[in-house]
Amino acid sequence: MDLSCQDWMSSLPEELWDLPLTSLAIPGSHDAMSYCLDINSPLVPSESDFFRLLDGLFYCFTRPAIFRWATTQDKSIEEQLSMGIRFFDLRIAHKPKDSSSDLYFTHVIYTHLTVLKTLSSVATWLESHPKEIVILACSHFEGMDDRLHHLFILSLKKLFGSKLCPRKVSFLLVQLFLQHKNNRASQTLSCPPQEPVLTLRSLWASGYQVVLSYESQIAARYQELWPAIPYWWANQRTAQGVISYLEWNKDLGRPEGFFVSGLNLTADRYFITEHPKLSLRTLTFSNWECLRKWVEEQRPGSDPKSLNIIAGDFVGPLPLSSLVIALNQKLLQKNDSL
């Protein structure tokens, strides 16, 4: 099995091309755009008044701490794509008192880069990699009213065009999948299924490359937008805490569609204050070996305890992509045993 990360989807064995994407192991990036946070930007409005007061009084101390702990990635989105990341956690907002319609990414503070400039880079990358599929999970949307949502969605439709996979996949796409799977024309199917069947083969046949999740009720108005994707977020500071939380969720059974298992660690403000020399990067690296071993033991597929998207922090220096992509080998082993 070719584990080349840059074009790993097109390099998967043909036996996996007809499995639902929800059954594949897909590497993801938590807070994907935090590599370009603007240390001088205002705090996002959802931060507490008390923290806002502290930030105003002790700016020289709070800002370096915010930057150390809010930065979860250190590679650009193009670099993350080339490293094999196919799920992107994108937190989007409009700056207060900004008269323009420009949107930015956020994690406590705002980014330098605008959303549309960044996603233009994604569209350009996809042009050069026509068999790679990305899942963009847009969420938070602080400071955005219906007008800004509408403008943003129109811009996304214009940017990605025919690459956007609609929420209700066309009947033809499903027929293509069934025809190949059953080795016969699916003429007996009289009406399209209610739920889409997304596979690599059917997506390649349609030209779709982007699944766009939009965590807002407004998504229901647009067929190009998918609902929010569940994200298992442990809110724990140690690898053991994260793993315990993920195993608890596995025991409850996986969701039917896409879902994310987050390997990302979290530190509360008391811990951050007590450990001024630490950062999210040092915390992540010190816990990596334990997380790595857990990932290697996981299985993709449709079983209740199987995983789908596995997202983490610092996906550049840490080999998350290759670890997660390699899990798909277990699907071949499972098929061979049948």
Side-chain angles (χ1 to χ4, degrees):
M1 179 176 178
D2 182 9
L3 295 183
S4 171
C5 289
Q6 178 158 286
D7 293 287
W8 68 266
M9 287 182 161
S10 58
S11 299
L12 287 175
E14 188 172 357
E15 299 95 306
L16 304 184
W17 294 358
D18 296 311
L19 291 181
L21 254 61
T22 54
S23 292
L24 296 181
I26 300 173
S29 175
H30 167 249
D31 268 311
M33 292 301 299
S34 63
Y35 65 85
C36 61
L37 290 173
D38 179 3
I39 197 170
N40 297 313
S41 82
L43 297 174
V44 295
S46 58
E47 292 297 329
S48 68
D49 291 339
F50 177 69
F51 187 57
R52 201 174 302 281
L53 176 63
L54 284 179
D55 186 54
L57 293 174
F58 304 104
Y59 188 90
C60 292
F61 297 98
T62 58
R63 284 312 170 109
I66 289 171
F67 201 74
R68 288 197 310 274
W69 288 94
T71 300
T72 67
Q73 306 296 341
D74 58 7
K75 299 296 181 183
S76 72
I77 198 161
E78 298 96 330
E79 290 173 312
Q80 292 180 46
L81 281 163
S82 293
M83 291 170 180
I85 297 299
R86 295 295 178 265
F87 169 87
F88 295 90
D89 170 26
L90 304 174
R91 306 182 182 199
I92 295 168
H94 183 256
K95 289 182 179 180
K97 301 178 182 178
D98 186 350
S99 60
S100 77
S101 300
D102 290 341
L103 302 177
Y104 296 83
F105 302 99
T106 66
H107 194 203
V108 186
I109 51 180
Y110 299 87
T111 57
H112 287 287
L113 292 176
T114 64
V115 172
L116 289 182
K117 182 176 181 180
T118 299
L119 295 184
S120 294
S121 299
V122 175
T124 300
W125 191 91
L126 290 173
E127 288 285 346
S128 302
H129 303 270
K131 286 194 170 184
E132 298 303 300
I133 315 300
V134 299
I135 304 166
L136 306 178
C138 300
S139 65
H140 287 59
F141 302 117
E142 290 197 57
M144 291 181 61
D145 56 18
D146 279 0
R147 182 187 70 87
L148 284 173
H149 274 293
H150 180 67
L151 290 174
F152 179 44
I153 293 167
L154 288 180
S155 297
L156 291 173
K157 290 169 65 174
K158 181 178 180 181
L159 179 62
F160 291 113
S162 61
K163 288 183 173 61
L164 277 177
C165 178
R167 186 171 61 249
K168 297 295 183 184
V169 179
S170 71
F171 186 32
L172 175 61
L173 190 155
V174 180
Q175 281 185 313
L176 285 169
F177 164 70
L178 291 175
Q179 182 176 341
H180 182 84
K181 183 179 180 183
N182 299 324
N183 234 350
R184 59 180 175 82
S186 50
Q187 299 299 325
T188 58
L189 198 60
S190 59
C191 60
Q194 293 300 306
E195 293 299 327
V197 179
L198 301 187
T199 71
L200 289 175
R201 193 187 300 273
S202 61
L203 288 166
W204 293 340
S206 68
Y208 297 141
Q209 286 186 269
V210 180
V211 174
L212 183 55
S213 165
Y214 206 87
E215 194 175 335
S216 169
Q217 292 181 349
I218 205 168
R221 305 180 199 173
Y222 300 88
Q223 66 173 355
E224 298 86 358
L225 303 182
W226 290 62
I229 295 173
Y231 194 113
W232 291 353
W233 179 58
N235 195 23
Q236 295 290 324
R237 183 168 44 83
T238 65
Q240 292 80 3
V242 169
I243 290 170
S244 177
Y245 173 82
L246 294 177
E247 288 293 336
W248 176 77
N249 274 279
K250 285 172 61 180
D251 288 340
L252 296 178
R254 56 161 293 164
E256 289 185 4
F258 292 112
F259 73 103
V260 185
S261 303
L263 301 182
N264 39 289
L265 305 171
T266 307
D268 59 32
R269 286 171 183 166
Y270 177 79
F271 179 86
I272 292 171
T273 303
E274 290 290 301
H275 300 84
K277 293 185 179 180
L278 295 184
S279 65
L280 185 61
R281 184 185 180 94
T282 59
L283 189 68
T284 300
F285 277 64
S286 64
N287 282 272
W288 171 247
E289 187 59 23
C290 186
L291 292 172
R292 181 190 64 78
K293 290 179 180 178
W294 182 84
V295 171
E296 289 178 336
E297 296 170 355
Q298 304 313 302
R299 298 189 69 91
S302 58
D303 296 336
K305 290 190 177 183
S306 63
L307 297 187
N308 177 211
I309 301 166
I310 302 176
D313 294 329
F314 301 102
V315 296
L318 296 176
L320 177 68
S321 283
S322 57
L323 278 175
V324 175
I325 295 167
L327 295 179
N328 291 302
Q329 181 71 32
K330 298 181 181 182
L331 294 170
L332 293 174
Q333 296 167 357
K334 183 176 181 179
N335 288 340
D336 290 343
S337 66
L338 295 178

